[in-house]
Structure formats: structure tokens, C-alpha cells
Amino acid sequence: MHRNKRTVTSLSIALSLASALPLVSMQTQNAFANSSASSPSVTSATYGTATGAPAPTIAPTGTTTGSTTTSSGSGGSSSGTGTSPSSPGGSGSTLTSPSSTLTPPSSGTSVITSTPSTPVNSVTGAPILSGSQGNSSANGSSSSTGAAPLVNFAHVGSVSWTSNGPADAQFQKLEKRYDAKLLGNPHWHGFLNQEGRTITVNLYYLHTINGLSIQMEQDPKAGIFYPSHVDFEVNLYGKWYMLGSVPTKIPQSASGNSTQWFAVQTHNLQASEFRIVFPVTNWVFTRNLGIWGSDFSVPTSQSLPNLPQVPKPFTQMMSIFDPRSAGIRNMMLAYSGSYGQMGTWTTKDFLPVTSYLLQNGQIGGRLFDTVLFLPYTLAQNQQAWLSYLNNLFAKNEQLSALNQAMAQTDQGMNKFGYNPYPKEKVVIALPYPSYHSGAWGLLGGQILSFTPTPSDPGSVANRLTAIQWYLNTFLAKWKQAGFSNLSLTGFYLNDETVHYTFPGEVNLIQGTSQMVQKAGYPLFWIPFYDAGGIEDWQSLGINAAWIQPNYAIQGKAAPAGRVANTVQLAKDNGMGVELELPTAALTSPLYRNLYLSSLQQFQQAGAAGSVSHAMYAGSKVLTQAAYSTNPAVRALYDQTYAFLANQSNGAQVN
């Protein structure tokens, strides 16, 4: 992917149900260019005032077939927001707690990774319990023969939701167009990006609960997709436990508009606080949240499920001491293979990368210990891939030039007592074989195509075969080259988001990881800010990741708070951070000061020192700064070294 431009595209696609719904492009590196970020916030609403308020009767919005409904409803209306109360209001304060004693779940249980969705009433979402005849009571809830009808207790509690990542003011502004109530509303509530959502329902008093459910919509043409899964959690004795993780039955790659219920059964569980958690990529539309139960049911300790405690998220950024980082302190991205001299690296170009080069030309220290080689663009055919490989191993260029530069760095570092200095680490980007891109090349006498087939709708097998060919070809050339000053450290997934809407995308990434690790190397990734997959990168088989801030490259539109939010994302997801020096900084004081400001903000947020860094610097921008006679431009290089050496003073230049 050509990250040099790092532009932002905000598409607006007419939503057939209502007004135009903006679709966030996942083909570029930034999240909204004009977004302004803020710290995470909580949105809440309180519903109902009476004990056991019946679930409202909800008219179906389309023709139901199994668990899928073809939607014909309307867009969301503005309602259901306010301040979360500290205690229930109105007559809800007279709720009484059942007298049964709750038995805590046993310890030592395994984490539930996938739970089949509980059958529900197709209109209300009330669970159809074991032994039920599927009858609907007058209020729309389902109950088994002779059992008390289920009611939706969510109507007598408070409902709040938070973003799982740093909140973004621009995304939140767009969400207000689709902010219908989550309970009993024929309209949809829209959630946009920001990693995911956690919906919390607080009933304030213990109730006997038989199931949880929520309805969601998918409309790919409008940028609305199901989450890959929905987690249902319960708070018992101050600790959160997983009730179940329900995967989507309808793939995100499916065409056409549909609706789906996600639900779990809880077997007369006594509790008062629940959470529904799901990832959000582009838009997720939800409605009809239900916490279903009956206080006439008698809870018993035998009916309580064995609940594993929800694992804690990451709390720290990836450090250079973390084994996942493979010892990478500072990794420079080196684009090559196109654009003439700008994409051709020489020894002179690499010397101020491997070394901190003083203005007199002497080596004053060590700078980047790792270089990631990646293409600007790469056509989807075998010849283009082979041409790029040959370019990587060209004489006195690219890898060969880095090897020579490192030899000079090694010699220059002798005066500091390093003899010899550790080899320069090398990471190589693996081409991303685009889904549905047609014939790729010839292997084993047969044409290899990325065109989907009925047996492989994502053409995953052929795409993995092409990646395997590239990996094998590179490793053979690497062995033959015998670079004395370089060490192959790993490979890079050359796409900056996970396209969950593409068939077989997860299998492709996991398969790539397996082949790379089988060869004895880790797989690395650098997603753009708020990209798909940020929360899932470890489960995808990726060994280490760095997050892009997409800040200084936006110029006047650079969002306030973005750097701080990037650090928070890195902490929440155990990632390193990327520095971004835009090409425009060579000529523009605005872009220079934005970059230097980002260094200062990273420093203040604790993202210097032992944190593992990657660095995007356009087409040899940092090298040009190192050799510049303009003090303002040269300062970009000096301040980068100072930051990476943890000595930044945050000075501004003009």
C-alpha cells in the first residue's frame, strides 16, 4: 500500500432507509482527517419505572427467515441519552431483592471462546428456553410451558455505553444522527469505529435472569456490518465473568441487507449488572437490547453456569524488553522499488539512518537498529513481485547499501567502545494478495488465480500459495547474498487494516503467520489509527504491532488529542507506537512544528525511553533532513535523535 500519500477518504453512500450514511474508508491510512479526539466518554439512559415492566410489543420490520430479517425500517431518531443515575429513580427505587443466596462460580474454569447463539423470539428477542414450545406471551416474550413469562428487566435499569478505544469527537458527532434508544425501538442506534463498544446494563437490584439478547443489522452498501462476535458478561461479587462469546452467523462479506439476533441463555442466574461487548469497524447498528428473566423463577446454585473471569486487557505499551518486539528499538520504514531515486537507497542514504550523523559528517551515535523494507505499490502479478525482489538485492542499493552503511556505522562506533556493534536488523514486507484480483502468475505449470471459486470464495488457498512462493524466493536470495552486517529479524504484513468484510481475510492472515513462523520468523504489523483488527492482532497470529497516530501528516486538520489517544490505544492493546514525519515538513513550518509537537506529546505521555518505535518518514525525508544546510530542517533530524535517545527538549523551529 502506498502510504506516502496517507490521504483520507470519507465516502457518503445514500442509506436506502433514511438520510445519507457516511462510510469510513478502510483503504487509506488515516481515520477522519478532520476528526478531533477527546478522552473516552460514557453515554447513558434510564428506562422504565416499575418492577418487571413488560417488554413492549415490537412490530416486525420485514420478512423473517430463520435468524435473518430483510429490513425495511427507518433510520435512527435522536433520543435516549442523558446522565447515568447513581440510583434508580421513580417507583423503580422500591424494587426488592430476591432472598435466594447467590453461590459464586467455581474457579479454574476455561475461557469460553465461542458460544452458539441462543434461539430467540424473532420479534422481541426473548430467549426460547430449553423445553419451550416457542409460544409468545401477550407482551411478546417467550416462555416454556407452565413457566412464568419472561420480562425485559433492562427497562427498569440504566443503560450506558462506552467506546473500547479512545473516543473521537468527529465520530461521536456522526453517531448522533443514529442515536435511537437501544430498548424497544424500531429504529437503529449506530456506533462508528473507536475500536468497539461496551454496553452496560445496571438493574441496581438482583433479578433472576434467563437470557440476554441484542439485535443488529448489516447493510454493506451503507457501510454497516455485523461485529465478528458479541461477548456477554456478568458482574458477580465485583468481578466480571464471561457468559458467552457469540460469533456472527452471517459473514461480514455477505451481500444484501439483513438483521440478526445475538443471544445467550443464563439458566436462572441472579445478578444485577451485565455487559454486552463487541468490536466496531465502520458502522454497527443495534436495537432491542434485552435482559430477560422472571423473579417468579427460583434460582439454585446448581443452575449457575461455570463462568470464567474475563481476561484483563493490556495496560502498557510494547517495550524493547518485551520478547514480542524481537529486540526492535527503533525501526525505520524504507520504501523502495519505484519513483526513481526517491525509491533507490544508497549507502549515503542509509548512513544517517543507522548512525546519528553529526553536521561535520562524523558518526555521533547509533540511531535506527532496524529497517523495514516495503514497496510503494506492487501490482498483483508474479512478475511485479519478482521485480521487486530483484530490486531489493540490487548491487550497491537497498539491502546491499544498508549492509555497507552498517559497516561504516560499526567502524564509527568503535570510538564508543563497541567492537563489533550488533548487526542491523532487517524486516521484509510480504505482498498483500488482493482479493478478487484475477490471474497472478504461473506456478507448477498452472495458472494461479486470485479469483474466488465456489469451494474457496476468498481464494485463500491460492493467495497463500503466492505468499509462500514470495517467502521462499526471498529466503533463497537472502541466504545467497550473505550480508555480513545484517540480521533478518522478521516479516511484515503489508496491509494497514484487517478487511473483515473480505471472505477468508482472517484465514489469510493466520495462514500467513503460520508459514512465517514455520520458517522461524515473527510477523509484524503497523495498522493505521482506529483500523480494523487493532483489538484482535494477537488472535490473528501477529507477533508484534505498532500503531500509527496519523497526526502531523494531516496539517491544519491534525486532531487535538490524537497523540494522547494513540498512546492510550497502544497501552490498551500492547502495541508500540509509530513516529510520522511528513514529506511536507521539508518545506513547511506548519508540518515541522506539528512533527516536533508530536515528539513532545509522545514524550509527555511516556512513549519515549524503552517503548518500541517504528518511524514513517515519507521518501527518505529524515535522510534529507540530516544532510540539509537549513537549520530548521536539520532540527527535524536532531530532535528525532534526541527523542529516540530519550533527551527531547521539544523545541520549536520555524
Side-chain angles (χ1 to χ4, degrees), residues 382 438-451 462 465:
Q382 186 180 27
W440 172 80
L442 195 65
L443 282 183
Q446 294 184 339
I447 295 177
L448 190 69
S449 174
F450 298 159
T451 301
N462 285 355
T465 298

Side-chain angles (χ1 to χ4, degrees), residues 517-596:
Q517 294 185 39
K518 185 176 180 180
Y521 298 96
L523 182 66
F524 302 133
W525 188 44
I526 309 177
F528 61 77
Y529 183 86
D530 217 11
I534 286 179
E535 290 184 306
D536 305 325
W537 63 270
Q538 281 197 304
S539 65
L540 293 170
I542 297 168
N543 297 94
W546 294 258
I547 181 71
Q548 301 176 25
N550 305 141
Y551 171 72
I553 58 176
Q554 297 191 43
K556 292 181 179 179
R562 173 59 64 83
V563 174
N565 284 351
T566 300
V567 171
Q568 190 60 52
L569 274 176
K571 289 180 178 179
D572 291 344
N573 296 284
M575 308 167 83
V577 297
E578 183 187 67
L579 310 181
E580 290 176 330
L581 175 59
T583 302
L586 293 173
T587 57
S588 167
L590 169 66
Y591 284 88
R592 284 197 287 271
N593 282 323
L594 281 171
Y595 172 68
L596 295 176

